[in-house]
Every structure is written in structure tokens, then in C-alpha cells.
Amino acid sequence: MLRFHRIQRVLLGLLLVSGGAVAAELEPKALAALEQMGSYLRGLQQVRIDADSRTDQVLENGQVIEFNHQTHLLARRPDKLRVQVERDGNRRSLFYNGQRFTLYDSRSGYFTEQAAPTDIASLLAQLSERYGIELPLADLFRWDANTAKVAGLSDALWIDQQTLDGQVCDHYAFRQPDIDWQLWIRQGPQPLPCRLVISRRDSAELPRHSVDYRWQLDAPSNDRDFEFTPPAGARAIPLAPAGAQP
């Protein structure tokens, strides 16, 4: 699946305000916003997310090239998930029905099916640890009260208030080793992330990854939405654990 050098499992920070650099600080308001958002996300029983992503890749000559893709996620806790990533007319998909997961690539026509654990969190852990697969938007299922500590945040700042796609959002900036990130969180009783921007400081080119989210919290779904039916011509292949010899 698409990934940004695995930086989607870690988070962001760096900012200039009023023309001057902000000193290192962990503002309680910014840390509380992360915890409140995470608590709210963990409480959602079903959700549909459409996300537009832009990812920089650095060529051998140092030039930075931007690639765009769209991600569509449908989840129903505890054990249903569908993720589809589209780029240039091609689609990569994951289907999870609580018993098995299937990965499918429309460009090659290959798919693979494996036994799966019984909840979404365990599935994400299995994909990452056994197969080296990081799903887009997977961090939305990992936010908790320990996120700031695990990420090693050195800065957490409230920046300002902005309106994105008609939603009033608080703009925060965070910093951790080699990573700066900015996060816009919707104000009000539904503290959903509206936008995420990640910048890598471990590369001279400072490549970025950004995501704009659109949420549907009452999207209907049925069990068939999480089942994979192979299209004509699709071919099954095995899925080897990460690091396994061919």
C-alpha cells in the first residue's frame, strides 16, 4: 500500500509566528487537543472518510516531485474495514471482514487473502509487524493519551483559528525528532482532524506529506461492503512476511 517512508505512524511540528521563531514549548492546550481528538475518534462506531493526499518524493538529483492520490476509507467497529487508494485511474484496496483480509491491485490484477485477527487494531498491527504494510489513514485508529509521549514531542503549539472547507478548525503545530507536523482540528463537539501536514527534517529537501479529510459519521454500510469479489481475470498470489526470502 502507499506509504510516506513510514512517517504516517509518527507526527509533526515547526512554525514561525509574527515573523519570529517560537521557542520550544509543550502547551497544555495543544496536548489536550490531541487527547480529545483521539478519544473522540476511538469512540466512533462507524465512519466513512474521503481524503486527498499530496506526497513529495525526492529524485536522485535532489529535485522534489509531488504525487497526488485519493483514499476512501469505510470502517465499522470492531471488525470491518475497507480502504481504497486511487491514483491515475488505478486502485489498491484492502477488504477486512473480521475473519480474513484481502489486498487487491487493479493495475496488475493480483490479489492475496490471509486469515486476520478479530478487530481493526489487531489487523493494523499484524499488517505492520508481519508484512511491513502501513495503511493510509491508519494513524486515525492509533491516537490515544500516550501518543505525545510515544512520538517524543518536543514542541506542541496552538497557532490560530482557520476555516477549512466550511469548518472552523484550530491550527496546531508539533515537533518531534526529524519530523514537523501541523494539524487542524474541527472546533465543537466533533473534534475531527481536518488537515494534516507532515514535513521531514532528516532530508535537506524537507519533503512533505499532506492530507485533507472529509468525514461522514452516519454513512450506512452492510457486510457486503467489506467482502472482496475477484473481478474477471484477477489472479491470486501468496503474501510473504516482510523480510522473507523469495
Side-chain angles (χ1 to χ4, degrees), residues 209-234:
H209 172 76
S210 63
V211 187
D212 288 290
Y213 305 98
R214 297 183 301 279
W215 297 82
Q216 296 181 55
L217 304 184
D218 55 357
S221 66
N222 58 63
D223 290 349
R224 294 190 302 275
D225 293 327
F226 307 96
E227 299 286 348
F228 174 70
T229 301

PDB file of all heavy atoms in Angstrom, residues 209-234:
ATOM      1  N   HIS A 209       4.244  15.697   3.297  1.00  0.00           N
ATOM      2  CA  HIS A 209       3.078  14.863   3.019  1.00  0.00           C
ATOM      3  C   HIS A 209       1.886  15.565   3.658  1.00  0.00           C
ATOM      4  O   HIS A 209       1.938  15.951   4.835  1.00  0.00           O
ATOM      5  CB  HIS A 209       3.253  13.466   3.618  1.00  0.00           C
ATOM      6  CG  HIS A 209       2.007  12.626   3.531  1.00  0.00           C
ATOM      7  ND1 HIS A 209       1.595  12.030   2.369  1.00  0.00           N
ATOM      8  CD2 HIS A 209       1.083  12.288   4.474  1.00  0.00           C
ATOM      9  CE1 HIS A 209       0.482  11.365   2.593  1.00  0.00           C
ATOM     10  NE2 HIS A 209       0.146  11.497   3.856  1.00  0.00           N
ATOM     11  N   SER A 210       0.816  15.767   2.900  1.00  0.00           N
ATOM     12  CA  SER A 210      -0.353  16.457   3.442  1.00  0.00           C
ATOM     13  C   SER A 210      -1.623  15.696   3.084  1.00  0.00           C
ATOM     14  O   SER A 210      -1.691  15.029   2.047  1.00  0.00           O
ATOM     15  CB  SER A 210      -0.434  17.894   2.916  1.00  0.00           C
ATOM     16  OG  SER A 210      -0.606  17.915   1.515  1.00  0.00           O
ATOM     17  N   VAL A 211      -2.603  15.795   3.977  1.00  0.00           N
ATOM     18  CA  VAL A 211      -3.883  15.110   3.801  1.00  0.00           C
ATOM     19  C   VAL A 211      -5.005  16.058   4.197  1.00  0.00           C
ATOM     20  O   VAL A 211      -4.948  16.694   5.257  1.00  0.00           O
ATOM     21  CB  VAL A 211      -3.990  13.835   4.667  1.00  0.00           C
ATOM     22  CG1 VAL A 211      -5.259  13.072   4.314  1.00  0.00           C
ATOM     23  CG2 VAL A 211      -2.771  12.950   4.516  1.00  0.00           C
ATOM     24  N   ASP A 212      -6.037  16.152   3.357  1.00  0.00           N
ATOM     25  CA  ASP A 212      -7.280  16.855   3.687  1.00  0.00           C
ATOM     26  C   ASP A 212      -8.385  15.814   3.829  1.00  0.00           C
ATOM     27  O   ASP A 212      -8.586  14.990   2.923  1.00  0.00           O
ATOM     28  CB  ASP A 212      -7.635  17.863   2.598  1.00  0.00           C
ATOM     29  CG  ASP A 212      -6.709  19.069   2.610  1.00  0.00           C
ATOM     30  OD1 ASP A 212      -6.797  19.868   3.553  1.00  0.00           O
ATOM     31  OD2 ASP A 212      -5.886  19.196   1.676  1.00  0.00           O
ATOM     32  N   TYR A 213      -9.099  15.865   4.965  1.00  0.00           N
ATOM     33  CA  TYR A 213     -10.096  14.856   5.286  1.00  0.00           C
ATOM     34  C   TYR A 213     -11.513  15.383   5.093  1.00  0.00           C
ATOM     35  O   TYR A 213     -11.815  16.527   5.430  1.00  0.00           O
ATOM     36  CB  TYR A 213      -9.968  14.428   6.758  1.00  0.00           C
ATOM     37  CG  TYR A 213      -8.609  13.937   7.177  1.00  0.00           C
ATOM     38  CD1 TYR A 213      -7.712  14.781   7.822  1.00  0.00           C
ATOM     39  CD2 TYR A 213      -8.225  12.623   6.964  1.00  0.00           C
ATOM     40  CE1 TYR A 213      -6.468  14.333   8.233  1.00  0.00           C
ATOM     41  CE2 TYR A 213      -6.975  12.164   7.363  1.00  0.00           C
ATOM     42  CZ  TYR A 213      -6.105  13.029   8.000  1.00  0.00           C
ATOM     43  OH  TYR A 213      -4.871  12.588   8.406  1.00  0.00           O
ATOM     44  N   ARG A 214     -12.397  14.509   4.596  1.00  0.00           N
ATOM     45  CA  ARG A 214     -13.836  14.769   4.562  1.00  0.00           C
ATOM     46  C   ARG A 214     -14.523  13.590   5.261  1.00  0.00           C
ATOM     47  O   ARG A 214     -14.313  12.440   4.891  1.00  0.00           O
ATOM     48  CB  ARG A 214     -14.333  14.918   3.113  1.00  0.00           C
ATOM     49  CG  ARG A 214     -13.717  16.104   2.395  1.00  0.00           C
ATOM     50  CD  ARG A 214     -14.274  16.268   0.978  1.00  0.00           C
ATOM     51  NE  ARG A 214     -14.053  15.087   0.160  1.00  0.00           N
ATOM     52  CZ  ARG A 214     -12.907  14.820  -0.449  1.00  0.00           C
ATOM     53  NH1 ARG A 214     -11.873  15.654  -0.343  1.00  0.00           N
ATOM     54  NH2 ARG A 214     -12.777  13.729  -1.184  1.00  0.00           N
ATOM     55  N   TRP A 215     -15.347  13.901   6.257  1.00  0.00           N
ATOM     56  CA  TRP A 215     -15.898  12.889   7.147  1.00  0.00           C
ATOM     57  C   TRP A 215     -17.401  12.710   6.942  1.00  0.00           C
ATOM     58  O   TRP A 215     -18.126  13.671   6.746  1.00  0.00           O
ATOM     59  CB  TRP A 215     -15.661  13.298   8.605  1.00  0.00           C
ATOM     60  CG  TRP A 215     -14.214  13.380   8.984  1.00  0.00           C
ATOM     61  CD1 TRP A 215     -13.360  14.418   8.750  1.00  0.00           C
ATOM     62  CD2 TRP A 215     -13.462  12.385   9.676  1.00  0.00           C
ATOM     63  NE1 TRP A 215     -12.118  14.132   9.249  1.00  0.00           N
ATOM     64  CE2 TRP A 215     -12.150  12.888   9.830  1.00  0.00           C
ATOM     65  CE3 TRP A 215     -13.777  11.122  10.192  1.00  0.00           C
ATOM     66  CZ2 TRP A 215     -11.157  12.171  10.477  1.00  0.00           C
ATOM     67  CZ3 TRP A 215     -12.785  10.406  10.833  1.00  0.00           C
ATOM     68  CH2 TRP A 215     -11.494  10.929  10.971  1.00  0.00           C
ATOM     69  N   GLN A 216     -17.836  11.446   7.026  1.00  0.00           N
ATOM     70  CA  GLN A 216     -19.254  11.101   7.120  1.00  0.00           C
ATOM     71  C   GLN A 216     -19.412  10.150   8.305  1.00  0.00           C
ATOM     72  O   GLN A 216     -18.905   9.027   8.263  1.00  0.00           O
ATOM     73  CB  GLN A 216     -19.755  10.419   5.842  1.00  0.00           C
ATOM     74  CG  GLN A 216     -19.703  11.279   4.593  1.00  0.00           C
ATOM     75  CD  GLN A 216     -20.249  10.537   3.383  1.00  0.00           C
ATOM     76  OE1 GLN A 216     -21.371  10.053   3.400  1.00  0.00           O
ATOM     77  NE2 GLN A 216     -19.430  10.441   2.350  1.00  0.00           N
ATOM     78  N   LEU A 217     -20.091  10.607   9.335  1.00  0.00           N
ATOM     79  CA  LEU A 217     -20.206   9.814  10.560  1.00  0.00           C
ATOM     80  C   LEU A 217     -21.459   8.956  10.601  1.00  0.00           C
ATOM     81  O   LEU A 217     -21.591   8.104  11.481  1.00  0.00           O
ATOM     82  CB  LEU A 217     -20.174  10.735  11.782  1.00  0.00           C
ATOM     83  CG  LEU A 217     -18.938  11.640  11.888  1.00  0.00           C
ATOM     84  CD1 LEU A 217     -18.976  12.424  13.192  1.00  0.00           C
ATOM     85  CD2 LEU A 217     -17.656  10.832  11.784  1.00  0.00           C
ATOM     86  N   ASP A 218     -22.367   9.191   9.662  1.00  0.00           N
ATOM     87  CA  ASP A 218     -23.609   8.409   9.642  1.00  0.00           C
ATOM     88  C   ASP A 218     -23.749   7.637   8.330  1.00  0.00           C
ATOM     89  O   ASP A 218     -24.863   7.341   7.895  1.00  0.00           O
ATOM     90  CB  ASP A 218     -24.812   9.325   9.845  1.00  0.00           C
ATOM     91  CG  ASP A 218     -24.847  10.468   8.828  1.00  0.00           C
ATOM     92  OD1 ASP A 218     -23.910  10.576   8.019  1.00  0.00           O
ATOM     93  OD2 ASP A 218     -25.819  11.260   8.851  1.00  0.00           O
ATOM     94  N   ALA A 219     -22.628   7.343   7.695  1.00  0.00           N
ATOM     95  CA  ALA A 219     -22.667   6.636   6.416  1.00  0.00           C
ATOM     96  C   ALA A 219     -23.148   5.198   6.623  1.00  0.00           C
ATOM     97  O   ALA A 219     -22.571   4.456   7.420  1.00  0.00           O
ATOM     98  CB  ALA A 219     -21.286   6.631   5.774  1.00  0.00           C
ATOM     99  N   PRO A 220     -24.194   4.779   5.924  1.00  0.00           N
ATOM    100  CA  PRO A 220     -24.681   3.407   6.080  1.00  0.00           C
ATOM    101  C   PRO A 220     -23.711   2.410   5.446  1.00  0.00           C
ATOM    102  O   PRO A 220     -22.982   2.735   4.508  1.00  0.00           O
ATOM    103  CB  PRO A 220     -26.020   3.420   5.340  1.00  0.00           C
ATOM    104  CG  PRO A 220     -25.859   4.498   4.308  1.00  0.00           C
ATOM    105  CD  PRO A 220     -24.988   5.549   4.949  1.00  0.00           C
ATOM    106  N   SER A 221     -23.691   1.221   5.973  1.00  0.00           N
ATOM    107  CA  SER A 221     -22.865   0.153   5.408  1.00  0.00           C
ATOM    108  C   SER A 221     -23.524  -1.180   5.713  1.00  0.00           C
ATOM    109  O   SER A 221     -24.336  -1.300   6.627  1.00  0.00           O
ATOM    110  CB  SER A 221     -21.448   0.179   5.993  1.00  0.00           C
ATOM    111  OG  SER A 221     -21.471  -0.127   7.379  1.00  0.00           O
ATOM    112  N   ASN A 222     -23.179  -2.185   4.917  1.00  0.00           N
ATOM    113  CA  ASN A 222     -23.619  -3.546   5.205  1.00  0.00           C
ATOM    114  C   ASN A 222     -22.433  -4.470   5.037  1.00  0.00           C
ATOM    115  O   ASN A 222     -21.366  -4.066   4.536  1.00  0.00           O
ATOM    116  CB  ASN A 222     -24.793  -3.957   4.300  1.00  0.00           C
ATOM    117  CG  ASN A 222     -24.444  -3.867   2.830  1.00  0.00           C
ATOM    118  OD1 ASN A 222     -23.544  -4.575   2.357  1.00  0.00           O
ATOM    119  ND2 ASN A 222     -25.131  -3.007   2.079  1.00  0.00           N
ATOM    120  N   ASP A 223     -22.573  -5.702   5.447  1.00  0.00           N
ATOM    121  CA  ASP A 223     -21.446  -6.633   5.453  1.00  0.00           C
ATOM    122  C   ASP A 223     -20.839  -6.828   4.070  1.00  0.00           C
ATOM    123  O   ASP A 223     -19.636  -7.087   3.941  1.00  0.00           O
ATOM    124  CB  ASP A 223     -21.876  -7.980   6.033  1.00  0.00           C
ATOM    125  CG  ASP A 223     -22.149  -7.916   7.532  1.00  0.00           C
ATOM    126  OD1 ASP A 223     -21.811  -6.875   8.154  1.00  0.00           O
ATOM    127  OD2 ASP A 223     -22.693  -8.895   8.089  1.00  0.00           O
ATOM    128  N   ARG A 224     -21.640  -6.698   3.021  1.00  0.00           N
ATOM    129  CA  ARG A 224     -21.122  -6.908   1.661  1.00  0.00           C
ATOM    130  C   ARG A 224     -20.075  -5.856   1.279  1.00  0.00           C
ATOM    131  O   ARG A 224     -19.225  -6.113   0.426  1.00  0.00           O
ATOM    132  CB  ARG A 224     -22.271  -6.881   0.650  1.00  0.00           C
ATOM    133  CG  ARG A 224     -23.252  -8.032   0.781  1.00  0.00           C
ATOM    134  CD  ARG A 224     -24.218  -8.057  -0.408  1.00  0.00           C
ATOM    135  NE  ARG A 224     -24.948  -6.795  -0.530  1.00  0.00           N
ATOM    136  CZ  ARG A 224     -26.062  -6.515   0.132  1.00  0.00           C
ATOM    137  NH1 ARG A 224     -26.566  -7.409   0.967  1.00  0.00           N
ATOM    138  NH2 ARG A 224     -26.680  -5.352  -0.032  1.00  0.00           N
ATOM    139  N   ASP A 225     -20.134  -4.687   1.922  1.00  0.00           N
ATOM    140  CA  ASP A 225     -19.170  -3.635   1.607  1.00  0.00           C
ATOM    141  C   ASP A 225     -17.745  -4.032   1.967  1.00  0.00           C
ATOM    142  O   ASP A 225     -16.790  -3.434   1.462  1.00  0.00           O
ATOM    143  CB  ASP A 225     -19.523  -2.343   2.357  1.00  0.00           C
ATOM    144  CG  ASP A 225     -20.831  -1.735   1.878  1.00  0.00           C
ATOM    145  OD1 ASP A 225     -21.143  -1.865   0.679  1.00  0.00           O
ATOM    146  OD2 ASP A 225     -21.543  -1.140   2.710  1.00  0.00           O
ATOM    147  N   PHE A 226     -17.597  -5.032   2.836  1.00  0.00           N
ATOM    148  CA  PHE A 226     -16.275  -5.419   3.325  1.00  0.00           C
ATOM    149  C   PHE A 226     -15.817  -6.764   2.768  1.00  0.00           C
ATOM    150  O   PHE A 226     -14.824  -7.319   3.221  1.00  0.00           O
ATOM    151  CB  PHE A 226     -16.284  -5.446   4.859  1.00  0.00           C
ATOM    152  CG  PHE A 226     -16.788  -4.155   5.447  1.00  0.00           C
ATOM    153  CD1 PHE A 226     -18.124  -4.026   5.825  1.00  0.00           C
ATOM    154  CD2 PHE A 226     -15.949  -3.063   5.589  1.00  0.00           C
ATOM    155  CE1 PHE A 226     -18.595  -2.835   6.356  1.00  0.00           C
ATOM    156  CE2 PHE A 226     -16.419  -1.867   6.117  1.00  0.00           C
ATOM    157  CZ  PHE A 226     -17.738  -1.749   6.499  1.00  0.00           C
ATOM    158  N   GLU A 227     -16.560  -7.264   1.788  1.00  0.00           N
ATOM    159  CA  GLU A 227     -16.219  -8.527   1.138  1.00  0.00           C
ATOM    160  C   GLU A 227     -15.600  -8.249  -0.225  1.00  0.00           C
ATOM    161  O   GLU A 227     -16.037  -7.350  -0.946  1.00  0.00           O
ATOM    162  CB  GLU A 227     -17.462  -9.395   0.963  1.00  0.00           C
ATOM    163  CG  GLU A 227     -18.159  -9.787   2.260  1.00  0.00           C
ATOM    164  CD  GLU A 227     -17.400 -10.846   3.034  1.00  0.00           C
ATOM    165  OE1 GLU A 227     -16.458 -11.441   2.464  1.00  0.00           O
ATOM    166  OE2 GLU A 227     -17.757 -11.087   4.195  1.00  0.00           O
ATOM    167  N   PHE A 228     -14.596  -9.031  -0.581  1.00  0.00           N
ATOM    168  CA  PHE A 228     -13.941  -8.889  -1.875  1.00  0.00           C
ATOM    169  C   PHE A 228     -14.447  -9.957  -2.836  1.00  0.00           C
ATOM    170  O   PHE A 228     -14.431 -11.149  -2.523  1.00  0.00           O
ATOM    171  CB  PHE A 228     -12.421  -9.028  -1.738  1.00  0.00           C
ATOM    172  CG  PHE A 228     -11.695  -9.034  -3.054  1.00  0.00           C
ATOM    173  CD1 PHE A 228     -11.608  -7.883  -3.820  1.00  0.00           C
ATOM    174  CD2 PHE A 228     -11.097 -10.196  -3.526  1.00  0.00           C
ATOM    175  CE1 PHE A 228     -10.928  -7.875  -5.030  1.00  0.00           C
ATOM    176  CE2 PHE A 228     -10.420 -10.203  -4.736  1.00  0.00           C
ATOM    177  CZ  PHE A 228     -10.332  -9.038  -5.487  1.00  0.00           C
ATOM    178  N   THR A 229     -14.919  -9.524  -3.996  1.00  0.00           N
ATOM    179  CA  THR A 229     -15.310 -10.437  -5.073  1.00  0.00           C
ATOM    180  C   THR A 229     -14.325 -10.250  -6.218  1.00  0.00           C
ATOM    181  O   THR A 229     -14.275  -9.177  -6.825  1.00  0.00           O
ATOM    182  CB  THR A 229     -16.732 -10.135  -5.566  1.00  0.00           C
ATOM    183  OG1 THR A 229     -17.653 -10.262  -4.467  1.00  0.00           O
ATOM    184  CG2 THR A 229     -17.126 -11.091  -6.682  1.00  0.00           C
ATOM    185  N   PRO A 230     -13.512 -11.257  -6.521  1.00  0.00           N
ATOM    186  CA  PRO A 230     -12.492 -11.079  -7.563  1.00  0.00           C
ATOM    187  C   PRO A 230     -13.134 -10.760  -8.909  1.00  0.00           C
ATOM    188  O   PRO A 230     -14.062 -11.455  -9.343  1.00  0.00           O
ATOM    189  CB  PRO A 230     -11.786 -12.437  -7.598  1.00  0.00           C
ATOM    190  CG  PRO A 230     -12.080 -13.066  -6.274  1.00  0.00           C
ATOM    191  CD  PRO A 230     -13.447 -12.580  -5.896  1.00  0.00           C
ATOM    192  N   PRO A 231     -12.685  -9.711  -9.575  1.00  0.00           N
ATOM    193  CA  PRO A 231     -13.195  -9.419 -10.919  1.00  0.00           C
ATOM    194  C   PRO A 231     -12.656 -10.428 -11.919  1.00  0.00           C
ATOM    195  O   PRO A 231     -11.715 -11.188 -11.637  1.00  0.00           O
ATOM    196  CB  PRO A 231     -12.654  -8.010 -11.196  1.00  0.00           C
ATOM    197  CG  PRO A 231     -11.441  -7.891 -10.342  1.00  0.00           C
ATOM    198  CD  PRO A 231     -11.709  -8.708  -9.117  1.00  0.00           C
ATOM    199  N   ALA A 232     -13.241 -10.460 -13.092  1.00  0.00           N
ATOM    200  CA  ALA A 232     -12.794 -11.399 -14.126  1.00  0.00           C
ATOM    201  C   ALA A 232     -11.322 -11.163 -14.421  1.00  0.00           C
ATOM    202  O   ALA A 232     -10.880 -10.020 -14.590  1.00  0.00           O
ATOM    203  CB  ALA A 232     -13.628 -11.203 -15.386  1.00  0.00           C
ATOM    204  N   GLY A 233     -10.568 -12.249 -14.462  1.00  0.00           N
ATOM    205  CA  GLY A 233      -9.155 -12.164 -14.795  1.00  0.00           C
ATOM    206  C   GLY A 233      -8.236 -11.938 -13.619  1.00  0.00           C
ATOM    207  O   GLY A 233      -7.011 -11.982 -13.769  1.00  0.00           O
ATOM    208  N   ALA A 234      -8.783 -11.680 -12.435  1.00  0.00           N
ATOM    209  CA  ALA A 234      -7.943 -11.462 -11.256  1.00  0.00           C
ATOM    210  C   ALA A 234      -7.239 -12.761 -10.874  1.00  0.00           C
ATOM    211  O   ALA A 234      -7.788 -13.857 -11.016  1.00  0.00           O
ATOM    212  CB  ALA A 234      -8.788 -10.961 -10.096  1.00  0.00           C
TER     213      ALA A 234
END
